[in-house]
């Protein structure tokens, strides 16, 4: 009898973990993407999921008309094909709301490499080192 309850509790715990670690975060991302696509407005610069860069000219129910390239060729694409917004149009831009539970990601540090010394700089470096050695 105890083994049956243990197995039942174990199954419930696994289902709960799968929900918390996989399903819930995916729903949150889907909701953010849907809000981004529904919030498109004229003047936004976008990138499609196929990698096409364009500027929104007209927003319809399920489609968006974008201008592409230097000739400003017009293309009508589905809203679901919009991958991201590169630059939002001036005006009432939505402010992203940070979740209180999420912590800020640590900033990445750039790797700094020293510059190579040219012959002129090598002479100056040698002159600076020489007086320091003479003082000893």
């Amino acid at each position: 009898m105890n083994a049956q309850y243990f197995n039942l509790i174990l199954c419930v715990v696994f289902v709960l973990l799968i929900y918390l670690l996989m399903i819930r975060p995916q729903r949150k991302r889907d909701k953010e993407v849907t809000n981004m696509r529904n919030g498109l407005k004229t003047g936004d610069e976008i990138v499609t999921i196929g990698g096409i860069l364009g500027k929104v000219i007209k927003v319809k129910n399920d489609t968006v008309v974008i201008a592409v390239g230097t000739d400003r060729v017009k293309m009508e694409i589905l809203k679901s094909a919009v991958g991201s917004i590169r630059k939002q149009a001036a005006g009432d831009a939505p402010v992203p709301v940070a979740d209180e539970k999420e912590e800020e990601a640590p900033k990445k540090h750039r790797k700094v490499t020293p510059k190579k010394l040219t012959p002129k700089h090598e002479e100056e470096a040698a002159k600076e080192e020489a007086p320091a050695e003479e003082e000893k």
Side-chain angles (χ1 to χ4, degrees):
M1 193 73 163
N2 287 338
Q4 290 176 346
Y5 287 123
F6 180 74
N7 287 338
L8 179 66
I9 292 172
L10 194 59
C11 287
V12 169
V13 168
F14 281 135
V15 169
L16 185 65
L17 280 174
I18 288 173
Y19 175 77
L20 290 175
L21 296 176
M22 296 175 68
I23 298 171
R24 189 169 170 236
Q26 184 62 40
R27 283 187 181 173
K28 184 177 179 183
R29 280 191 294 272
D30 290 344
K31 185 178 178 182
E32 290 173 357
V33 169
T34 303
N35 289 340
M36 180 264 305
R37 290 177 179 158
N38 289 334
L40 285 174
K41 58 186 174 293
T42 304
D44 288 348
E45 292 183 19
I46 63 167
V47 179
T48 66
I49 57 175
I52 298 172
L53 304 172
K55 190 171 188 176
V56 176
I57 296 175
K58 190 176 188 180
V59 180
K60 298 180 182 179
N61 287 337
D62 293 334
T63 61
V64 177
V65 178
I66 61 173
V68 181
T70 56
D71 295 338
R72 294 297 177 201
V73 176
K74 293 179 183 175
M75 295 176 63
E76 187 171 4
I77 61 170
L78 293 173
K79 278 188 178 180
S80 60
V82 176
S84 64
I85 298 177
R86 290 184 70 199
K87 201 185 282 186
Q88 291 189 335
D92 298 324
V95 178
V97 178
D99 192 6
E100 294 176 357
K101 296 177 185 175
E102 293 180 8
E103 296 179 15
E104 290 184 20
K107 295 182 181 179
K108 294 182 181 178
H109 296 285
R110 261 186 12 192
K111 184 177 179 182
V112 179
T113 55
K115 293 182 180 180
K116 293 183 180 178
L117 294 176
T118 59
K120 182 178 177 182
H121 292 294
E122 289 176 359
E123 293 172 7
E124 292 174 6
K127 288 179 185 177
E128 290 175 5
E129 291 176 7
E133 291 176 4
E134 292 174 6
E135 292 175 4
K136 291 181 183 178

